[in-house]
Each structure stands twice: as C-alpha cells, then as structure tokens.
C-alpha cells in the first residue's frame, strides 16, 4: 500500500514537471511571436515550435497507448496516430507548397482525433443520449466557429472574400472534437477529468486557430509567425501534457451515473450558444459572410432538434419510470405479503421494536402467546409491557434488559430465559433471542424471537421428579443390599444362621425392587418408541382377567380387598401376556387405593367391534383435573402416594401404551374424592361363539401341552402313577389335616395317598416310591422326626423329597431341618403348600442333562449352579466351538443358549443342529440379552423352544422354565395352575404391583399362585 502511494506521488510530480515545461515553452513562443522580431524569424520560430509540439504530442500519446489497455489504448493510439498524420501533412504542405494536400491531412488527423475521443470509456449511454451528444457537438462547434468569425470581423479585417470550403471543414472538425472532449469529460469519473479537460482545451485552441487561418487564407494574408499560431502550438502541448497525467490510463468505470452527469455538458453547450447569440446581437450591423449566416441557422436548428429530443427522452423516461415504479410497487407489495405470511406462519413469537424500545410489529404467534391483538401491542413500550415482576414484586430493571442491550449496545442475546406477562395477568415462561436491527452502521431497533417453554418447564419438572424418585428408589434398596452383604462379608453373623438368612432375604428383596424399577422404565420407553412386538391371538376375556387376579391376589389379601369378576363370553384379539400385564397394573393400582373391606370389580361389555373392559373400585377417586395426568409417567395424584402406597407412577402409562399398541383406548372415570375410580380400556372384539385360537382352551382355562411320556419309562421309578401324575404321600396324625392337604394337592393335579401313622408311612414309601412326602413332625408313636431320619438312612428312600409341615420354625428343629427338602409352618397356605411340593418334586434327581452355552463366565456359573440345584446334570460351554465339542460327546436333554458368542452366533449353532437328525429336536431355551423379535424366532427353533430375555428373567429364576419345558417334553403334568411353557415362549409380563414384580418366572412363588376360594364371586 505504501509503495503504491509513493508511486502515485512520483507520477504526480512528473506530471507537474511536464506541465510547467510545456507552459513555459508556450509562453516563450508567445513572447517571440508577439515581439518586435523580424517576420522571417517569427515564421521560423513558429514552424519549429509547431513541429516540436506535434512531435511531443505524438510521442506522449504513443507512450500512453503502450502503457494503457482496452479502450484507452485504442483512444490514445488514435490520438497519437492523428498527431503523426497532422505533423507529416504540415511538413508536406510547407515543403511542397501544397496547402490543399495539407488540409486533407489535417482533416484525416482530426478524424482520427474524433475516433480517439469516442473510444474513451465513459458511463454507458442510453438510446437518445448519443443523438443528443451529436447535436450538442453541432451547437458547440457552430457557436465556437460563429464567435471566431465575428472575432475576425470585429478585428477590422476585410472579409468580403469567401474562404475555401476546406478551410471551414477544419474548424468544424476542431469544434466537434472539442465538443466530444467536453462531453466525454462531463460523463467520466472525477479522476479522469483532468486529462480529458486538457485534451478538450487542446482541440478548442485548434478550432480557434483554424478559424483564423480560414479567414486569413481567404485574403491570402496568412503567414506563419503570427500570434494565431499559438492555438496550434498550445493545442499540441495541452494534448501532450494530458497524456502525461497519471489518470490517463484510466480507473474502473461502473454503470452507475454517480460520477458522470449531463448537466455540466448542457451548461457548457448553452453557454457557448448564448455567447454566439450575444456576438450576433452585438455585430448585427457588421457585414459578415454568408457562411456565418448559414452556420447560425445550423446552430439554431440543432438547438431546436436537441430540445425536441430532450422532450421525447423525458417523456419516455417518465413512462419508463412510471412502469418501473408500478413494478417495484407490486414487488414491494408481494415482498411485504410474503414477509407477513412468513411471520404469521412461524410458530415462535416474533416482535420488533424501534430505537426507543416501542413495539413496531407483532406476529400472530406472539399475539396468541400473549393473549392480545396487534392493535393492543403496537406502539407500547416492550419492556414494561412484557416483563413480569421479580419474585419480590419489584420491576425488572430496564438497564439490564436484553432489548435495551440490543438497541443500545448492539448485543445479541440468545437462549435468554425470561417470564412474560400476558395482558390477562398470567405469566408465561419463555426463551428469548434478541438481535439488533442495523441500517448500515446505525442501530434502528431490535427483533425479538421468543418461544413458550411452559411444556419444556413441565418436562423438566417431571424429569427432576423422576430423578428424585429414581434416586430414592435406587439408593434405598442399594443401601439395604450393601448393608446386608456387608454384614455377611464381615462374618459377624457367622454364629447366627437365622439373622444371616434374614440378611440374604433382605438383599434378594431389595434386588427385586431394583429390577422392578429398571423393568418398568424400560417397558415404558419401549412403549413410547413403539418397539414392543405383540403376538396377537384370540383370547377369552375371562381367562385374561383370572390370570391377572391370581397375580394380584396376595396384594389384595394383604390390603383386605375382595377381587370380583363378572363372567363374560367375550373374546378379544390380543397378546395374552401384555393384556394380563395391563390388568395386573390396573388391578394393583385399584387395590392400593381401595379401603379395607371394599371390592375391586372387573367386567367386560361389548362396544360395537370393540370390547370395553372395566376395573372399578370404591377408593378415594381421582380429581377431574387429574384424570388424564395419571397416565403420564411418574405422575401421582398426591406426591406422597409413591412413599405411602408404593409404585413408581409407571403402571398406568405402561398399561395405556399396551392398549394403544393393540389399537384400543384407555381412560379413567371418576367424580373426585371419595367416589371411586373406573379405569376402562377397549380391545378388538372377536365373535364370542368362535373357538379361541390362542394359548387358552375354549373353557377359558390355560391349555397345557399333552404329550405321552417316552416309552420305556417306569412310572414307579419316577414317583408317578400310570397316568404320569406325581404321587405324594401325606403323613399327619390328624385325619382332618390329611384330608385337607390331600384335597389341596389333588386339586392341583397330584395323586395323593394319606396316612396317619409313622410306621405305616415308612412301609408305604418303601412300596410306592412316591414323588414326595408331606410330613408332620408332631405325631404319637413314631413321630415325624424319626420317620424323616429313617427315610434318610435307608438307601431306597434316601433321595425321596420330604416337605415338613410343623408348628415350629426350622431354626428350632435342629437336625430335622437339615434333612428336610422343604419346610412349612402351620397354618399352611394352600398355594404355598402346592408350590413347595411341586418344587421339591422337580428337584428330585432327574438325571436330565442340560448344556449351557454362555460366554460370560460368571453368569454361566450361576446358571449352572441353579440348574444343578434343581437336580439337573449341567455341561458348560463358552463358545460355539466348545458347544459343538460337547454335543459331539453326549446328547443333552435340553439346551440353554445365548445368541452372542465370541466365535460366532447362536443362530449358527441352531442351524448346524437343525441339519443333524440326532439333535434337530432338542428342546431349546434361548436366554439372551433382549427379547427376540417375532420375525427372527422361526430361524431359532429346534424342538420345543422358549425365548427368555435376561433383562426380564433373573438367573436364579431360570430353573422353573427349564423344568417346565422338560416336563412338557416328557409328557409329565406339573401340578400347577400354570400351563407348560407356551411355544411362543417369551414371558414379557410387567406387573406394576411391587409385591408381584421380580417373580415373573418364579411360578413356585405362592404369591403368584394363591387362589382364595370365595374371594372372586364371579367364578
């Protein structure tokens, strides 16, 4: 940048030097020509000066042409060539004494000058500007010539002779060149005007000298050496100096007419015309040649024509401007309408303020959010109108307002949290972005965009509550688990087995609580994401309700609430597990919020092509304002409900998600406190007279799998009768107790033999080889303790399972407790009795072989320990390769398979087994990290196949589905209400009842089986 400035300064100094030199030379020549020198000396001096000036002009213009580009190179090149032609013509005319040839050369040189001036780039011309410029040239040239003629006339010379026509052509051409120079100058940028002014001045001097030459030549009185020669010399010098100006090479020219204006040209044109008119008035009494009159007429015609063109041009310009104004107005209207539509279609509120903070516009979203109309807001102060007061009631300071900062300081505020006050006085939490509105460098106002974040704040509140609930729900059981395990690990309970077992029970229960919470959260998220698959089949409504009531029976018993169902013939198309889960969640809530002694009623009514199921209670009810809120996650009618009544606030949201996944609807009906609540939902109805196609039989009870036991099996060796029913011996000295216990077991599918004497029991056991013994310890004669001891010390009966029924705790029974397989304290719960007997029967040494394929070493060890504790022989494999080796060695009775293995996938192993005729029908339990999608299950089936998810089935509960599957394959009954494993095999039930969750596969848990006769009056 500094180098460029220095170069420009150097060029300017050189130009000034050339100007002073040229001006000084012309001044010296003027002194010589006007001085008292001999005419011959003046003639020689004039010719020499003229030749030198012509060479100087030719060289300067040529040099500038070489250093220029584009149109300027052509312009200066034409001027240089014209100077050369004029110089050569002048020399030729002087040497040969042929003025006519010299005039032709001069005319050619002037023509080149016209071309050169026309080549200078200027602001682009409109259509009628070029004719007007030509007319201006005629007016200017004619006026100059007319003035020159009168100057000669007024000088007192005799002008009666008429010059030759060629003598008039030269000054006309000079005048034209001068006019072009003036017009180019007035329509060029300011930086280029100096060289163009010099060029124009040079041609004006030429014109004056040529006019004088014309009249002197007409009287044959022209000779070189007169002061008139200064016009030619000065003209050449002015053009040469113009070529030396730094701006002669030009500067960028844009299309805007900012720098070029026709006003200056018009002023010059009419100034010369008025001067010529004034000369004519003054010299009206003088005798002038006819050529001057003709020239005056031409000038007048040119002036008139010029004015006509101006009027036509102005009229055209006016119409063009009107059309353009109309077009621009239409464009502005369309732009304004588009802007207004854009503002109105934006969901966020937008408003603008001026520099004083007053509202200038408000869009529709802002009006809706603020409860106002544009007329209510425009013109008001934005700060005082919108900002709510502080918590203490004081106004928010205007100095720190983001609107003030945007207008005053140009600061852009983003994601600013604020509270706006509606015109009705209600506060609205908003998130604001405020930006200054700039006009060039000046701030004219601000634009504010705000968004109502009421819902976001509500979500954040729910999230905070969720974090609080989850934190409490997680930390409480974790504290219990850590405390219990810490005591066990420290060994301080080593001498107190009862307390140690109590600590283990606390740890297990707390772990169940953690599992329930995690499962509920995962269930809800799956429902919200729509990623839960449903296995739809035709299901009797009564069977679904009964299954759900059985799972809630314990909770109802503890709460003193009766469960009642009104029988219904309706059949629905649904996923049985999911609808049972829904009913369990709804029934659990109804029980928890019912008063002791009340009844929770279920019913089903047809509603067109839907069936409406209702769960009605007589509890405290739900306020009308909360009827929809209770279906939002973690929502409670009262914040204390989660602590006082249990639950996580996810049961109803999960239930609604399941129902909506079935294409139904769920809602709550209640009139408020003390009126009870009715939770209702609809499911797709099936013709009630059709036989269901799902896993339930037509009578509404679960349909078991009926398969005969394998051939060659001795029922007596397994403790089963000829029909495959497990035989149980009940031993008690009280016949009534024997009868009651026998009835309970017989109702659940066992074959029972009852005895009241210890010795008889020993003989019966030795003869019958029962599947299990239910033994009372307190008996006369040979008491239960002695019977138990003798059974254990006899080889034939040592492995027969024994369930002790006693009035004492096992901790008080000494050695007997260690010999028993199960222990029940009187009074015995029927469900607990059935579950315990079934459990010990199934743990009787079975000799079935199970292959467990799992890559996690710790989990594999746990699963193996659980299955071995159930009497199964377990082989372990951690990869596909190890599994293939184990399968080649021995054929398992059942395969437990994880799908993600280090050297392949479970799918690949299943595909191999399918091609093996020996192993293609092996029962399979797919035990993997997450539920297997329905469309993937077909490729994973071998024999009978059950799909279990690790997230829903804890390792310690895996024994039950494994034994169920083995019994189903062997054709053995299970002695339980529950059906054998459904071939669909995925247990995804998620009851919300804290007393039920965590035992989804522990069907031996009496709380999931207990059936209370007389409680469900609808049966």
């Amino acid at each position: 940048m500094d180098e460029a400035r220095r170069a420009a300064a150097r060029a300017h100094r050189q130009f000034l030097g050339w100007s002073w030199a040229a001006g000084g030379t012309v001044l010296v020549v003027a002194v010589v020509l006007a001085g008292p020198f001999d005419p011959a000396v003046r003639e020689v001096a004039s010719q020499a000066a003229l030749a030198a000036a012509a060479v100087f002009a030719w060289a300067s213009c040529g040099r500038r042409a070489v250093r220029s580009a584009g149109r300027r190179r052509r312009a200066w090149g034409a001027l240089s060539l014209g100077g050369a032609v004029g110089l050569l013509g002048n020399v030729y005319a002087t040497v040969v004494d042929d003025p006519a040839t010299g005039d032709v050369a001069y005319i050619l040189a002037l023509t080149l000058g016209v071309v050169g001036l026309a080549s200078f780039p200027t602001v682009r011309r409109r259509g009628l500007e070029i004719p007007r410029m030509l007319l201006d040239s005629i007016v200017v040239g004619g006026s100059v010539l007319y003035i020159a003629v009168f100057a000669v006339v007024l000088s007192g010379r005799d002008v009666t002779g008429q010059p030759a026509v060629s003598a008039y052509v030269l000054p006309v051409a000079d005048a034209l060149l001068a006019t072009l120079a003036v017009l180019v100058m007035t329509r060029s940028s300011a930086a280029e005007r100096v060289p163009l002014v010099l060029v124009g001045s040079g041609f004006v001097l030429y014109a004056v000298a040529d006019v004088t030459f014309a009249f002197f030549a007409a009287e044959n009185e022209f000779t070189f050496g007169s002061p008139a020669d200064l016009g030619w010399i000065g003209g050449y010098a002015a053009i040469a100096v113009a070529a030396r100006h730094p701006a002669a090479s030009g500067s960028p020219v844009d299309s805007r007419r900012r720098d070029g204006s026709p006003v200056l040209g018009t002023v010059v044109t009419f100034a010369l015309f008025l001067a010529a008119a004034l000369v004519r008035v003054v010299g009206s009494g003088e005798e002038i040649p006819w050529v001057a009159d003709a020239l005056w007429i031409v000038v007048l015609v040119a002036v008139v024509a010029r004015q006509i063109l101006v009027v036509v041009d102005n009229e055209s310009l006016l119409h063009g401007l009107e059309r353009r104004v109309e077009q621009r107005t239409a464009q502005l209207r369309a732009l304004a309408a588009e802007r207004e539509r854009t503002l109105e279609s934006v969901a966020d509120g937008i408003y603008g303020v001026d520099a004083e903070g007053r509202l200038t516009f408000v869009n529709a979203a802002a009006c809706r959010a603020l409860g106002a109309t544009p007329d209510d807001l425009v013109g008001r102060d934005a700060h005082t109108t919108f900002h709510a007061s502080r918590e203490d009631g004081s106004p928010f300071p205007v100095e720190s307002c983001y609107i003030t900062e945007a207008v005053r300081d140009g600061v852009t505020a983003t994601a600013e949290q604020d509270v706006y006050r509606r015109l009705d006085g209600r506060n609205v939490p908003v998130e604001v972005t405020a930006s200054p509105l700039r006009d060039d460098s000046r701030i004219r106002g601000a634009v504010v965009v705000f968004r109502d974040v009421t819902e976001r704040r509500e979500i954040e509140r729910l999230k905070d509550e969720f974090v609080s609930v989850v934190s409490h729900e997680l930390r409480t059981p974790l504290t219990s688990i850590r405390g219990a395990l810490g005591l066990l690990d420290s060994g301080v309970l080593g001498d107190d087995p009862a307390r140690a077992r109590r600590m283990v029970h606390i740890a297990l229960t707390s772990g169940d609580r953690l599992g329930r919470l995690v499962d509920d959260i995962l269930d809800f998220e799956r429902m919200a994401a729509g990623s839960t698959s449903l296995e739809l089949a035709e299901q009797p409504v009564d069977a679904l309700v009964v299954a759900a009531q059985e799972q809630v029976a314990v909770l109802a018993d503890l709460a003193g609430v009766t469960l009642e169902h009104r029988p219904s013939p309706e059949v629905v198309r649904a996923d049985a597990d999911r609808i049972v889960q829904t009913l369990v969640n709804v029934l659990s809530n109804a029980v928890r919020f019912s008063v002791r002694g009340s009844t929770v009623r279920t019913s089903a009514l047809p509603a067109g092509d839907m069936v409406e199921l209702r769960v009605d209670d007589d509890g405290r009810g739900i306020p009308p304002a909360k009827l929809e809120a209770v279906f939002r996650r973690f929502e409670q009618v009262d914040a204390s409900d989660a602590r006082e009544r249990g639950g996580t606030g996810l049961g109803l949201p999960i239930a609604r998600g399941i129902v909506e996944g079935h294409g139904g609807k769920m809602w709550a009906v209640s009139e408020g406190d003390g009126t009870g609540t009715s939770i209702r939902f609809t499911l797709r109805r099936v013709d009630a007279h059709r036989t269901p196609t799902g896993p339930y039989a037509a009578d509404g009870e679960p349909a078991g799998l009926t398969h005969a036991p394998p051939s060659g099996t001795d029922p007596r060796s397994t403790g089963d009768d000829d029909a495959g029913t497990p035989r149980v011996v009940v031993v008690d000295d009280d016949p009534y107790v024997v009868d009651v216990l026998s009835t309970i077991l017989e109702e659940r599918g066992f074959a029972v033999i009852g005895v009241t004497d210890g010795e008889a029991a020993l003989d019966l056991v030795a003869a019958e080889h029962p599947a299990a013994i239910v033994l009372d310890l307190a008996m006369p004669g040979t008491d239960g303790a002695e019977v138990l001891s003798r059974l254990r010390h006899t080889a034939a009966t040592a492995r027969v399972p024994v369930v002790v029924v006693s009035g004492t705790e096992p901790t008080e029974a000494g050695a007997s407790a260690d010999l028993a397989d199960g222990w029940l304290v009187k009074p015995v719960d029927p469900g607990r009795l059935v579950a315990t007997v079934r459990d010990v029967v199934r743990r009787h040494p079975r000799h079935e072989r199970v292959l467990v394929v799992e890559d996690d070493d710790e989990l594999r060890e746990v699963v193996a320990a659980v299955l071995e504790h159930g009497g199964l022989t377990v082989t372990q494999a951690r990869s596909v390769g190890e599994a293939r080796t184990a399968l080649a060695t021995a054929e398992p009775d059942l395969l437990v398979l994880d799908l993600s293995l280090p050297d392949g996938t479970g799918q690949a192993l299943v595909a191999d087994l399918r091609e093996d005729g020996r192993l293609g029908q092996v029962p399979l339990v797919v035990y993997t990290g997450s539920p297997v999608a329905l469309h993937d299950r077909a490729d994973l089936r071998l024999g009978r196949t059950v799909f279990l998810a690790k997230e829903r089935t804890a390792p310690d509960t895996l024994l039950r589905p494994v034994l169920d599957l083995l019994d189903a394959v062997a054709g053995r009954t299970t002695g339980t209400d529950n059906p054998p494993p459904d071939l669909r095999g995925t247990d995804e039930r998620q009851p919300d009842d804290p007393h039920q969750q965590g035992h989804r596969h522990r069907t031996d848990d009496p709380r999931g089986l207990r059936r209370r006769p007389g409680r469900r009056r609808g049966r």
Side-chain angles (χ1 to χ4, degrees):
M1 184 65 70
D2 293 339
E3 183 63 27
R5 282 198 293 265
R6 285 195 294 270
R10 186 167 55 252
H12 185 67
R13 287 195 299 271
Q14 291 175 355
F15 168 72
L16 291 178
W18 284 111
S19 298
W20 282 108
T25 302
V26 172
L27 181 60
V28 170
V29 173
V31 171
V32 172
L33 296 181
F37 297 101
D38 184 74
V41 173
R42 292 198 303 271
E43 181 177 356
V44 172
S46 175
Q47 291 177 344
L50 182 60
V55 170
F56 180 38
W58 166 74
S60 296
C61 291
R63 175 177 176 274
R64 180 55 64 186
V66 171
R67 296 190 175 187
S68 300
R71 297 184 61 182
R72 290 181 179 83
R73 170 174 287 185
R74 292 194 298 271
W76 289 112
L79 291 177
S80 175
L81 183 59
V85 170
L87 175 62
L88 293 176
N90 192 19
V91 172
Y92 178 81
T94 302
V95 173
V96 180
D97 193 19
D98 185 5
T101 303
D103 291 345
V104 173
Y106 297 151
I107 293 172
L108 178 60
L110 292 175
T111 303
L112 291 172
V114 172
V115 173
L117 283 176
S119 299
F120 276 106
T122 61
V123 178
R124 295 175 178 82
R125 309 291 193 276
R126 293 186 297 107
L128 294 178
E129 284 191 5
I130 295 176
R132 192 176 67 185
M133 287 177 60
L134 294 176
L135 291 174
D136 286 346
S137 300
I138 294 173
V139 173
V140 171
S143 299
V144 170
L145 290 178
Y146 195 81
I147 293 171
V149 169
F150 267 90
V152 174
V153 172
L154 295 177
S155 65
R157 293 184 178 272
D158 184 9
V159 292
T160 56
Q162 298 296 333
V165 175
S166 62
Y168 286 109
V169 172
L170 289 176
V172 169
D174 291 332
L176 177 61
L177 282 170
T179 303
L180 282 175
V182 171
L183 294 177
V184 168
M185 173 192 68
T186 57
R187 286 165 173 81
S188 300
S189 62
E192 294 183 276
R193 285 178 183 171
V194 173
L196 291 175
V197 165
L198 290 174
V199 171
S201 300
F203 284 115
V204 169
L205 291 175
Y206 249 93
V208 173
D210 284 339
V211 169
T212 305
F213 166 75
F215 283 101
F216 285 170
E219 300 296 330
N220 294 320
E221 296 181 0
F222 177 78
T223 59
F224 283 104
S226 67
D229 298 344
L230 289 174
W232 291 316
I233 297 171
Y236 276 127
I239 293 173
V241 172
R244 297 286 177 172
H245 193 274
S249 294
S251 59
V253 178
D254 57 27
S255 60
R256 291 173 296 180
R257 304 177 63 87
R258 180 177 63 246
D259 293 331
S261 172
V263 176
L264 181 59
T266 302
V267 171
V268 172
T269 299
F270 279 95
L272 291 174
F273 174 72
L274 291 176
L278 181 61
V279 169
R280 183 172 181 81
V281 172
V282 172
S284 59
E286 301 292 337
E287 183 179 355
I288 58 175
W290 65 269
V291 174
D293 292 332
L295 186 61
W296 181 247
I297 293 173
V298 170
V299 170
L300 290 177
V301 171
V303 170
V304 173
R306 181 190 186 280
Q307 292 306 112
I308 293 174
L309 282 179
V310 169
V311 172
V312 172
D313 190 25
N314 288 342
E315 190 69 17
S316 174
L317 181 62
L318 176 62
H319 291 307
L321 288 176
E322 289 177 348
R323 288 193 300 271
R324 183 173 296 183
V325 169
E326 291 176 358
Q327 293 173 356
R328 290 297 176 86
T329 302
Q331 292 174 356
L332 289 175
R333 287 199 185 99
L335 185 62
E338 182 68 21
R339 171 177 173 246
E340 184 175 356
R341 284 194 299 270
T342 301
L343 288 176
E344 297 304 314
S345 63
V346 174
D348 294 340
I350 303 176
Y351 63 86
V353 298
D354 58 17
E356 302 299 325
R358 292 186 296 269
L359 288 160
T360 56
F361 71 87
V362 185
N363 74 338
C367 291
R368 288 193 299 269
L370 299 172
T373 64
D375 294 337
D376 297 331
L377 299 175
V378 173
R380 301 178 65 171
D381 183 76
H383 176 80
T384 57
T385 302
F386 294 151
H387 283 302
S389 302
R390 291 175 168 176
E391 293 182 358
D392 59 1
S394 60
F396 192 80
V398 66
E399 294 79 11
S400 58
C401 175
Y402 46 81
I403 300 176
T404 303
E405 292 175 349
V407 175
R408 181 189 61 201
D409 306 323
V411 175
T412 298
T414 59
E416 189 86 13
Q417 302 299 314
D418 199 358
V419 178
Y420 278 4
R421 183 178 60 246
R422 290 166 50 96
L423 294 189
D424 58 10
R426 185 165 61 89
N427 290 341
V428 180
V430 294
E431 183 180 84
V432 179
T433 296
S435 304
L437 184 62
R438 301 179 184 274
D439 184 4
D440 294 331
S441 59
R442 189 168 67 91
I443 298 176
R444 297 181 52 192
V447 176
V448 180
V449 181
F450 69 91
R451 176 175 297 175
D452 187 345
V453 293
T454 302
E455 292 185 2
R456 185 193 304 175
R457 294 282 178 87
E458 180 65 17
I459 292 173
E460 290 174 354
R461 183 187 68 80
L462 293 176
K463 182 182 70 175
D464 292 341
E465 289 184 1
F466 163 70
V467 172
S468 176
V469 170
V470 171
S471 175
H472 177 270
E473 291 293 328
L474 288 176
R475 290 179 184 277
T476 300
L478 281 175
T479 302
S480 301
I481 293 171
R482 176 151 182 93
L485 295 180
L487 288 173
L488 292 173
D489 184 63
S490 66
V492 299
L493 302 179
D495 298 332
D496 193 345
R499 292 186 64 192
R501 283 194 295 272
R502 174 62 178 165
M503 291 300 103
V504 172
H505 177 73
I506 290 173
L508 288 174
T509 303
S510 298
D512 288 343
R513 288 180 62 189
L514 288 176
R516 288 196 300 270
L517 179 61
V518 173
D519 288 343
D520 278 348
I521 294 174
L522 292 176
D523 243 2
F524 183 82
E525 293 302 326
R526 289 194 188 99
M527 292 296 171
S531 60
T532 301
S533 58
L534 300 175
E535 300 181 36
L536 301 178
E538 296 176 6
Q539 313 288 352
V541 171
D542 285 354
L544 299 175
V545 174
V546 169
Q549 285 183 331
E550 287 177 348
Q551 296 189 41
V552 185
V554 174
L555 179 64
D557 185 36
L558 294 175
V561 175
T562 300
L563 301 178
E564 178 183 301
H565 173 60
R566 181 186 304 166
S568 171
E570 297 298 332
V571 178
V572 295
R573 184 166 180 79
D575 184 316
D577 289 340
R578 286 299 184 180
I579 296 304
V580 169
Q581 177 186 354
T582 298
L583 287 166
V584 168
N585 286 350
V586 176
L587 286 169
S588 299
N589 282 340
V591 169
R592 282 201 300 270
F593 292 99
S594 294
V595 297
R596 183 172 294 275
S598 62
T599 301
V600 173
R601 299 170 298 278
T602 56
S603 60
L605 300 173
D609 60 349
M610 308 292 283
V611 173
E612 181 180 308
L613 284 83
R614 297 183 178 182
V615 177
D616 301 321
D617 64 65
D618 299 322
R620 72 181 186 187
I622 302 174
K626 292 273 190 175
L627 288 174
E628 185 62 27
V630 295
F631 292 100
R632 294 198 292 264
R633 62 178 181 177
F634 309 114
E635 189 73 27
Q636 303 278 2
V637 174
D638 190 321
S640 64
D641 288 343
R643 298 187 299 270
E644 297 176 359
R645 302 177 185 268
T648 61
L650 289 172
L652 289 179
I654 291 173
R656 172 178 273 190
I658 293 172
V659 170
E660 291 178 348
H662 282 75
K665 296 181 179 180
M666 175 175 278
W667 67 97
V669 177
S670 179
E671 296 182 0
D673 292 342
T675 61
T677 302
S678 177
I679 301 296
R680 305 175 182 181
F681 62 94
T682 58
L683 295 173
R684 185 68 57 185
R685 186 186 186 197
V686 179
D687 186 357
H689 299 290
R690 290 176 54 187
T691 301
T693 60
Y696 292 91
D699 60 358
E701 292 295 332
L705 299 176
T706 57
H707 292 274
S711 60
T713 302
D714 182 5
R716 296 179 65 86
S717 66
T718 61
D720 296 347
D721 62 13
D722 294 337
T725 303
R727 292 188 306 277
V728 178
V729 174
V730 176
V731 185
D732 195 296
D733 63 324
D734 189 336
Y736 176 76
V737 173
V738 172
D739 183 55
V740 170
L741 297 182
S742 298
T743 302
I744 292 173
L745 293 172
E746 287 172 351
E747 285 185 350
R748 299 305 175 95
F750 292 97
V752 182
I753 302 174
V755 294
T756 57
D757 179 72
E759 287 294 337
L762 290 172
D763 295 337
L764 181 62
V765 170
E768 296 291 335
H769 299 285
I773 302 171
V774 177
L775 177 64
D776 180 19
L777 290 184
M779 292 189 300
T782 305
D783 62 7
E786 183 179 350
V787 170
L788 179 58
S789 177
R790 290 169 62 179
L791 288 172
R792 289 292 178 252
H793 290 87
T794 302
T797 60
R799 301 183 68 85
V800 177
V802 177
V803 176
V804 172
V805 178
S806 174
T808 61
E809 295 288 342
T811 56
E812 303 173 359
S816 297
D818 297 329
L819 298 176
D821 295 282
W823 197 283
L824 297 174
V825 179
K826 294 180 179 180
V828 178
D829 180 84
R832 183 71 178 274
L833 172 65
V834 172
T836 305
V837 170
R838 187 184 69 250
D839 187 54
V840 300
V841 168
R842 304 178 91 169
R843 293 184 181 182
H844 183 69
R846 305 169 59 99
H847 307 295
E848 286 99 340
R849 295 181 301 275
V850 177
L851 174 60
V852 177
V853 184
E854 168 63 54
D855 64 328
D856 187 289
D857 295 336
E858 294 182 356
L859 178 58
R860 189 176 65 255
E861 291 290 341
V862 172
V863 171
V866 170
L867 298 181
E868 288 172 347
H869 182 67
L872 302 172
T873 302
V874 179
T875 302
Q876 301 182 37
R878 69 179 306 274
S879 64
V880 174
E882 293 183 9
R884 287 170 177 161
T885 301
L887 290 167
T889 303
E891 178 181 347
D893 296 297
L894 184 140
L895 175 62
V896 178
L897 177 64
D898 184 17
L899 296 182
S900 299
L901 299 170
D903 60 344
T905 63
Q907 289 91 333
L909 181 60
V910 171
D912 291 346
L913 296 179
R914 281 183 166 184
E915 298 177 358
D916 188 331
R918 180 175 59 93
L919 300 172
Q921 294 300 316
V922 172
L924 174 63
V925 175
V926 176
Y927 188 48
T928 189
S930 58
V932 180
L934 291 176
H935 56 80
D936 294 330
R937 294 184 182 180
D939 295 333
L940 287 171
R941 296 187 186 278
L942 288 175
R944 298 173 185 265
T945 303
V946 175
F947 296 90
L948 301 176
K950 294 175 181 176
E951 64 183 28
R952 301 181 182 280
T953 307
D956 60 328
T957 65
L958 188 60
L959 177 62
R960 184 58 46 214
V962 168
L963 294 179
D964 284 343
L965 186 55
L966 288 171
D967 287 341
V969 172
R972 293 188 292 266
T973 57
T974 63
T976 177
D977 295 346
N978 291 348
D982 183 2
L983 291 183
R984 298 173 304 152
T986 300
D987 186 351
E988 295 180 343
R989 290 172 295 171
Q990 285 253 115
D992 190 44
D993 178 14
H995 295 282
Q996 301 298 324
Q997 295 176 343
H999 304 282
R1000 296 182 181 88
H1001 294 291
R1002 293 189 59 184
T1003 53
D1004 57 330
D1005 186 345
R1007 294 174 296 181
L1009 292 170
R1010 184 176 182 183
R1011 186 185 292 225
R1012 297 180 54 80
R1015 302 292 284 179
R1016 296 189 299 276
R1017 294 194 293 266
R1019 292 288 295 169

